[in-house]
Amino acid sequence: MITIQNWSDFFLKMKHEIERKFLVINPTLKNDAITHNHIKQGYLYKNHDRTERVQIKDGEGWLTIKCKSNSLGTSRLEWETEIPFKEAKALLQLPVGQPIENIRHIILSWDLVFEVDQFLIPKNNLIFVEIELPEENTPFHRPEWLGKKR
């Protein structure tokens, strides 16, 4: 449990998440994946300032808090920690809205990690990609399967 005494420690553990999201033009890019993860997740709290979610990824439990994006929408603070599988499974029974289920395909291209999410529930076959960048202005090669910015 986070107490007033350790709030500063908590915020020091938060990292800046810098990512871009795009729709996918050609779903065959999944064939280039080096690994695949089955993910179930549910939001415990969600508004324009912050989201809190629980996630089960290949049998591991995770709790994530993401803060509001900066004014450009290019980065935000994120805190994530592994939690016991049994607790994650119990927390998935308490989501705000419908739980989400997807397959994440990891593709390496030009020294960047592309996380391609193929949603099974609720939007069957919706596919988009997230690119985690080291800096906000990091240029990257746009693969031919990368579509419109999301």
Side-chain angles (χ1 to χ4, degrees):
M1 181 161 137
I2 297 173
T3 63
I4 298 298
Q5 290 84 2
N6 61 13
W7 268 113
S8 61
D9 291 340
F10 173 76
F11 283 108
L12 288 174
K13 292 179 183 176
M14 293 187 94
K15 66 175 188 149
H16 276 279
E17 175 185 58
I18 303 167
E19 70 181 11
R20 303 293 179 271
K21 294 181 182 183
F22 298 88
L23 293 174
V24 171
I25 295 172
N26 183 353
T28 62
L29 69 106
K30 299 178 296 183
N31 299 336
D32 297 332
I34 59 168
T35 189
H36 311 273
N37 304 108
H38 184 250
I39 299 171
K40 290 182 181 181
Q41 72 180 23
Y43 288 94
L44 303 174
Y45 180 82
K46 189 174 186 177
N47 74 14
H48 67 281
D49 289 328
R50 186 181 78 241
T51 61
E52 299 169 8
R53 76 172 182 219
V54 62
Q55 193 175 66
I56 293 177
K57 183 172 21 176
D58 293 334
E60 296 177 346
W62 295 90
L63 185 61
T64 305
I65 298 172
K66 293 187 178 200
C67 296
K68 181 179 179 179
S69 294
N70 67 4
S71 61
L72 299 174
T74 55
S75 70
R76 62 181 166 187
L77 288 174
E78 176 187 59
W79 175 83
E80 186 170 60
T81 191
E82 189 171 1
I83 61 173
F85 175 78
K86 188 175 180 179
E87 291 176 20
K89 194 172 177 182
L91 286 169
L92 271 176
Q93 303 304 308
L94 309 171
V96 173
Q98 184 177 8
I100 297 168
E101 188 172 350
N102 64 292
I103 304 295
R104 177 166 289 162
H105 309 275
I106 305 296
I107 297 173
L108 296 179
S109 179
W110 294 83
D111 295 328
L112 292 173
V113 176
F114 291 78
E115 295 178 340
V116 180
D117 288 331
Q118 177 183 6
F119 289 87
L120 308 173
I121 298 172
K123 297 182 179 184
N124 199 9
N125 289 322
L126 171 67
I127 302 174
F128 74 85
V129 63
E130 293 180 0
I131 307 165
E132 295 262 346
L133 300 172
E135 305 272 334
E136 285 191 37
N137 296 319
T138 300
F140 61 92
H141 171 74
R142 284 182 63 111
E144 67 280 351
W145 43 261
L146 204 58
K148 196 165 70 167
K149 198 170 184 181
R150 187 168 191 268

